[in-house]
Amino acid sequence: MPAPSLRPPRALRPASVLVVAVSLAAVGLGPAAAPAAAATVPVGAGSYSDTRPAGTVGPTTNTGTAVKPKVTSAAQGKPVPTNDWWSSLAFQRYGDNPYSTPMYGHPLTYQAVSGGLEVGYPTSAAIVGEGRQYEFAHKRDLTLGLTGLNSPDTKADSWSDWTVTPYWSDGSRTLRTTIGHGMPFVYAQGSGGNARINTASTPTVFSDQGNVLGITVGGHHYALFAPTGADWNVSGTEITAGLAGKDYFSLAVLPSTDALATYRKYAFSFVTGSKVDWSYSSGTVKATYSLTTEAKEGSERGALQALYRHQWLHTTDALTSYTYVSPRGTMKVREGTSFTTSMRSAPVLPQLPRSSAIDNARLRGYLNDVANASDPFSGATDTYWTGKALGKLAQLVPVADQIGETAIRDRLLSLLKGRLQEWFTAGGASEFSYDRDWKTLIGYPASYGSDTELNDHHFHYGYYVHAAAIVAQYDPSWAADSAWGGMVKALVRDTANPSRTDSSFPFLRGFDVYAGHSWASGHQGFAAGNNQESSSESTGLSAALVLYGSATGDTSLRDLGTYLLTTESEAIAQYWFDKDQQVFPGSYTHDTVGMVWGSGAAYSTWWTANPEEIHGINALPITAGGSLHLGAHKEAIRRNIAEMERENGGPAVEWRDILWEFQALADPATAKSKWDAGNAGYTPEAGESKAHTYHWILGLDSMGAPDTSVTGDIPASAVFSKSGTRTYVAHNHGSSARTVTFSDGRTLSVPARSTATGTGPGGSTDPGTPPTSGNTFQLRTGGTLTTATGSSAASDTVPSAGGANHDGTPYKPLVYEIKRVNGTYTSGGSTSFRLAVDAGTSVGLGQQARVSYDLTGDGTFDRTETYAYFATDPVTGWERYDQTRGLKSATGTLGNLRGGTVRLEVWSAIGNADARLQTGTDTSLVVIPFS
């Protein structure tokens, strides 16, 4: 965020505030809908207003005109999901566009226009903004509509978890289409005209079966489906069909022309809704993504769904061989109306435990600097900067408590309570106001469009929920619904409401369950779709839900936060940090991005091109709740920091504390050396303090970086690993002692309302999977090495080197890995492998391999072996690449494997075309020198 514009507080507005307990809504997350005549709505000891403060505004167009949701009569009064991938259908931010801006469903893109729905399938990335941004921008292949349709606007008619139904009417004709994330189909229902498809260029017909037409437009293959008895007619760029007395038709983008028969099977199984169900149990988060369908013809009720990378990496459900291109990497297609993902839950703690290396006197001085500052809130008046200040103070409460500084702890708690209660009481200089049209709570003074555009509510309010969670940890009575907890839950309902039947707030306003992450713009009114910059502030809200739910005994809220945090953690790793180097286009040169857009991503922020802030905005605020998950991807952090220093011309200066703490999640010793060298003469980032940074860096230096391969059976737990020793940490928010069991079998006794730690030997392991013994591993598509045999042959694409020389340096490598490997090193032995590769008829290609060993599974590779590349011939057919090509370079030494990790990377060292690598059989093997 940019530097704050600290406005003077507006005049106090008198109000009669009733301090009474109110009945809560059925979902248990705060007040019921505001009474129509009320000026102040009491919620426990707090209240909000149902009218905006004088002189303020709510949602508007870009010209300042007040705007209401653009929905049909069928949807009037329903909470509108702002901050979604399709929100421009309902939020007319730009007054001269009554239809929509481009909407990125993936694999298809859409834009509503007067004649219907533009549809595109962008498959080539453009690098723009001086190389800072990659875009798969919407480009129309065709427009789906009705003959003669000329609607004055497009409205949202209905919606579900990741689908929406736009509606057009010009008085004579009506059209409804259903579109969604991961849907290769567009389902249409219309009246008053024939089906009409207008193509951007003259199509090539590759199949004509009467009511089923296969066409190619702009290099993309589409199938058009009219009811049985109808017939498609092609005239130039105009394709029409009567509907044979029916009112439905559909189209699909095909991964290849030979997929037509499969897609035809589902052409009339219309999707009518989408829903995610999640659960948490003993360190595992499961989520099932389901579609409901209606058979327009016949009895088929199945569907095809394209899964994003963060989904297909974590499902065991069968997938087809069909794939699509997207800004999020390859999407893989499943035949079926549901699939389930399973992930290890992200670690969460109220705070790191105290390190014995900490100097209490020094830490006490840092704490006093904050607690006794003349203005601990640094002049903050609006929702965002107040939130940042609340977050800074909240993080120090457990720190003070750990070293016995109860007076400082209580001073900080008093500051938190006082400021929260100011905001949680209507009629003062700061308050929350309920907007009946948009079904949202807006905090005033607002900031960064949180009022006019409904931006960033999850960023801002997450800080408030986190602060409330820390207060609740020490004073549960304060967080009772009859006290101040009702207002906390009202903010939760605004930002992360788990109910689909709540009439006062939409379901999960900011979080896109299928995309796996949140969106920041309330209106989505950009050519590039919606966007999110600070993914870390989004996970801050999710972690706050875990902590608040744990502190108040609300397991449903706790588990919601665990699902959101765990899911977004994987999305961030893939789409912001490209951890596997399989998402960003080959022509894009950055290792990380500051912002993700519907159309792609950008190495930028909204307010500066300073590399420190581009990299830091997806790390701050550093907390033990919302940041530990980043430690699962240590190589990505190292690449991130290295790029920041290259772009910055040296180490961080302005946000050095944020970036030190971020680096400590991968390399604590390096971060500590930077702290030791530079802690004397810097100004902390606005949401940080020297007390917290000192505590964080020394804590991780003592325990080691997070070891996310091991999970506890409660969400408020984490594991760290250093030099073969694990530190197990858990916080018990309950009123009686309990035993926490970790996935590697370790147990930890945790007293009531306390944090406990324990240590034990070991490196990273995978929960629930026995250690692997054996020395011969087959490759499997999907990125695994396995000792199993008997699979069918498959292949993976080795991306082109793009005409550059990548000899010795992995470039968009295929990565195959096996964890929890035990083995005794064979002295003098060496790695061997054989890989079946094929460059087809392409000339001048060379594939290269690297084998790495993490001997203890602690996330650090102790031995890395890079082999000379293999120059493939331009003749179709498999060739054998093996270790006899020679060892190009090696670092480290081999030793015994104890719960270790073996990794194979394969990439194109040279060439300007893709190659193939065979998987699934013993034609591609890695043999390690262990017994």
Side-chain angles (χ1 to χ4, degrees):
M1 286 297 174
S5 174
L6 297 178
R7 298 180 291 273
R10 58 182 172 79
L12 297 180
R13 181 165 58 88
S16 174
V17 179
L18 301 177
V19 183
V20 297
V22 298
S23 61
L24 303 179
V27 294
L29 288 178
T40 297
V41 181
V43 184
S47 59
Y48 63 84
S49 64
D50 75 338
T51 54
R52 286 191 295 273
T56 64
V57 295
T60 64
T61 66
N62 60 313
T63 58
T65 303
V67 63
K68 294 185 178 182
K70 187 161 60 78
V71 298
T72 64
S73 57
Q76 283 290 337
K78 296 179 180 179
V80 174
T82 58
N83 306 78
D84 217 328
W85 68 273
W86 57 265
S87 293
S88 63
L89 274 174
F91 195 141
Q92 189 177 342
R93 175 62 179 166
Y94 296 95
D96 58 352
N97 181 5
Y99 304 104
S100 81
T101 53
M103 301 173 289
Y104 293 82
H106 307 146
L108 291 172
T109 62
Y110 315 96
Q111 185 165 4
V113 294
S114 61
L117 184 70
E118 288 186 358
V119 179
Y121 173 41
T123 52
S124 297
I127 308 301
V128 299
E130 298 180 338
R132 288 177 169 267
Q133 183 165 349
Y134 74 84
E135 286 189 328
F136 290 81
H138 170 67
K139 181 180 179 182
R140 181 180 81 94
D141 283 335
L142 52 85
T143 303
L144 178 152
L146 301 173
T147 53
L149 179 65
N150 184 22
S151 178
D153 58 24
T154 311
K155 298 181 174 72
D157 187 54
S158 64
W159 48 82
S160 60
D161 286 9
W162 62 88
T163 69
V164 65
T165 298
Y167 171 86
W168 295 258
S169 175
D170 62 7
S172 300
R173 289 156 286 267
T174 63
L175 174 69
R176 289 177 173 84
T177 64
T178 297
I179 56 178
H181 275 317
M183 285 170 46
F185 278 89
V186 178
Y187 307 95
Q189 291 184 263
S191 65
N194 293 333
R196 175 182 181 267
I197 306 295
N198 179 263
T199 57
S201 60
T202 302
T204 299
V205 176
F206 65 82
S207 179
D208 188 346
Q209 304 172 41
N211 71 317
V212 178
L213 188 71
I215 62 172
T216 302
V217 182
H220 304 140
H221 310 301
Y222 290 90
L224 313 180
F225 303 99
T228 300
D231 189 19
W232 290 102
N233 298 295
V234 181
S235 177
T237 59
E238 187 94 353
I239 306 173
T240 58
L243 296 179
K246 310 296 185 183
D247 66 351
Y248 54 84
F249 61 104
S250 66
L251 69 78
V253 61
L254 303 178
S256 61
T257 56
D258 60 9
L260 178 58
T262 300
Y263 279 62
R264 179 175 185 169
K265 178 181 177 182
Y266 303 105
F268 301 112
S269 178
F270 275 38
V271 169
T272 57
S274 58
K275 183 181 181 183
V276 64
D277 293 291
W278 61 84
S279 65
Y280 166 80
S281 178
S282 299
T284 298
V285 173
K286 291 188 176 182
T288 298
Y289 301 83
S290 304
L291 298 175
T292 55
T293 62
E294 174 188 2
K296 293 293 186 181
E297 288 188 10
S299 58
E300 180 59 59
R301 296 288 300 274
L304 295 169
Q305 299 181 80
L307 279 65
Y308 285 115
R309 181 175 178 82
H310 76 276
Q311 296 169 323
W312 57 256
L313 281 173
H314 296 281
T315 186
T316 57
D317 292 333
L319 303 175
T320 70
S321 61
Y322 299 134
T323 63
Y324 289 106
V325 174
S326 88
R328 310 291 178 256
T330 300
M331 301 182 79
K332 297 188 177 184
V333 177
R334 171 162 168 77
E335 204 168 355
T337 56
S338 69
F339 63 90
T340 298
T341 61
S342 180
M343 301 181 188
R344 290 190 291 264
S345 60
V348 173
L349 292 171
Q351 189 51 274
L352 296 183
R354 177 185 175 274
S355 165
S356 59
I358 286 175
D359 181 330
N360 282 2
R362 184 178 184 184
L363 180 56
R364 185 183 306 112
Y366 288 150
L367 288 166
N368 275 316
D369 288 345
V370 178
N372 297 321
S374 59
D375 179 6
F377 291 91
S378 303
T381 60
D382 62 64
T383 49
Y384 181 71
W385 291 96
T386 298
K388 293 266 289 186
L390 287 167
K392 176 176 68 177
L393 299 178
Q395 295 207 67
L396 299 183
V397 172
V399 172
D401 192 49
Q402 286 175 10
I403 64 171
E405 290 294 336
T406 55
I408 297 176
R409 177 199 67 192
D410 293 345
R411 162 71 174 157
L412 293 168
L413 285 169
S414 177
L415 289 168
L416 293 175
K417 290 178 181 178
R419 188 56 57 98
L420 286 170
Q421 289 166 202
E422 287 178 20
W423 278 90
F424 289 169
T425 303
S430 51
E431 68 172 25
F432 287 95
S433 172
Y434 184 76
D435 186 299
R436 290 194 192 95
D437 292 325
W438 289 96
K439 313 290 187 183
T440 184
L441 280 173
I442 302 174
Y444 292 97
S447 49
Y448 307 116
S450 60
D451 50 354
T452 56
E453 303 179 38
L454 300 184
N455 297 339
D456 300 356
H457 283 201
H458 59 315
F459 293 166
H460 298 204
Y461 303 171
Y463 287 107
Y464 292 70
V465 179
H466 176 225
I470 296 299
V471 172
Q473 181 178 326
Y474 291 89
D475 185 358
S477 63
W478 182 92
D481 289 340
S482 59
W484 298 98
M487 280 300 296
V488 178
K489 289 184 175 180
L491 296 190
V492 173
R493 284 175 74 197
D494 181 73
T495 54
N497 186 10
S499 173
R500 298 175 182 84
T501 59
D502 187 345
S503 62
S504 299
F505 296 94
F507 172 70
L508 295 181
R509 180 187 304 280
F511 193 81
D512 186 326
V513 295
Y514 204 88
H517 60 80
S518 297
W519 296 111
S521 167
H523 55 78
Q524 185 262 312
F526 304 97
N530 213 323
N531 71 89
Q532 178 161 266
E533 183 183 61
S534 184
S535 60
S536 47
E537 287 181 303
S538 181
T539 57
L541 169 64
S542 302
L545 300 180
V546 176
L547 293 173
Y548 191 81
S550 297
T552 59
D554 188 335
T555 56
S556 294
L557 185 59
R558 180 203 69 181
D559 293 354
L560 166 65
T562 304
Y563 161 67
L564 298 177
L565 176 61
T566 301
T567 305
E568 192 154 21
S569 171
E570 181 64 14
I572 291 165
Q574 296 293 343
Y575 311 138
W576 274 260
F577 297 155
D578 196 14
K579 80 174 182 73
D580 298 328
Q581 298 181 287
Q582 295 290 307
V583 172
F584 296 171
S587 53
Y588 189 64
T589 59
H590 290 285
D591 290 319
T592 190
V593 295
M595 304 174 70
V596 162
W597 287 89
S599 66
Y603 186 80
S604 64
T605 72
W606 276 109
W607 78 96
T608 183
N610 177 7
E612 295 184 29
E613 289 161 277
I614 292 171
H615 289 259
I617 194 61
N618 284 292
L620 67 77
I622 300 289
T623 71
S627 302
L628 296 179
H629 71 94
L630 295 170
H633 315 298
K634 296 176 178 62
E635 285 300 322
I637 293 175
R638 294 181 184 115
R639 290 197 306 269
N640 191 305
I641 295 294
E643 179 178 29
M644 184 279 296
E645 293 185 348
R646 288 195 306 271
E647 295 284 332
N648 202 45
V653 177
E654 295 177 20
W655 279 9
R656 66 182 75 179
D657 47 356
I658 296 296
L659 292 159
W660 290 337
E661 293 172 289
F662 179 46
Q663 187 168 20
L665 292 165
D667 297 307
T670 303
K672 182 178 180 297
S673 68
K674 291 182 176 179
W675 159 265
D676 288 342
N679 68 74
Y682 81 96
T683 300
E685 187 271 334
E688 258 302 341
S689 65
K690 286 191 175 182
H692 177 257
T693 302
Y694 176 57
H695 182 273
W696 179 269
I697 289 176
L698 267 70
L700 291 178
D701 184 56
S702 296
M703 297 185 297
D707 180 354
T708 59
S709 67
V710 182
T711 55
D713 63 359
I714 62 171
S717 60
V719 179
F720 305 84
S721 183
K722 180 179 182 179
S723 301
T725 298
R726 287 199 178 108
T727 298
Y728 303 81
V729 185
H731 185 85
N732 178 10
H733 286 89
S735 57
S736 58
R738 66 164 298 160
T739 297
V740 175
T741 301
F742 291 84
S743 58
D744 62 354
R746 176 77 180 189
T747 60
L748 187 64
S749 179
V750 191
R753 303 193 185 285
S754 299
T755 296
T757 64
T759 59
S764 299
T765 61
D766 285 323
T769 304
T772 296
S773 297
N775 67 353
T776 302
F777 306 107
Q778 287 187 9
L779 283 62
R780 291 285 190 270
T781 293
T784 61
L785 297 173
T786 178
T787 56
T789 59
S791 182
S792 300
S795 67
D796 289 338
T797 298
V798 185
S800 166
N805 189 317
H806 302 288
D807 184 14
T809 304
Y811 174 75
K812 297 183 71 64
L814 299 176
V815 180
Y816 304 86
E817 194 171 82
I818 185 168
K819 295 185 177 182
R820 296 207 74 194
V821 181
N822 289 335
T824 301
Y825 174 55
T826 302
S827 181
S830 60
T831 306
S832 64
F833 63 87
R834 62 173 180 266
L835 304 175
V837 293
D838 178 30
T841 58
S842 299
V843 177
L845 272 61
Q847 294 79 54
Q848 193 159 27
R850 182 167 80 175
V851 179
S852 302
Y853 297 87
D854 172 0
L855 298 176
T856 61
D858 66 355
T860 299
F861 285 93
D862 305 282
R863 169 75 172 176
T864 299
E865 302 170 352
T866 304
Y867 292 85
Y869 70 76
F870 176 73
T872 39
D873 64 29
V875 179
T876 300
W878 297 110
E879 300 177 76
R880 175 169 165 158
Y881 170 30
D882 60 31
Q883 76 284 349
T884 62
R885 301 298 298 177
L887 187 63
K888 178 180 175 66
S889 65
T891 61
T893 57
L894 287 171
N896 295 336
L897 283 162
R898 292 293 179 262
T901 299
V902 179
R903 175 184 291 177
L904 168 71
E905 296 164 278
V906 181
W907 70 95
S908 294
I910 57 172
N912 203 23
D914 294 345
R916 290 191 301 154
L917 172 64
Q918 192 169 63
T919 63
T921 73
D922 63 3
T923 58
S924 291
L925 295 174
V926 176
V927 182
I928 63 175
F930 293 81
S931 60

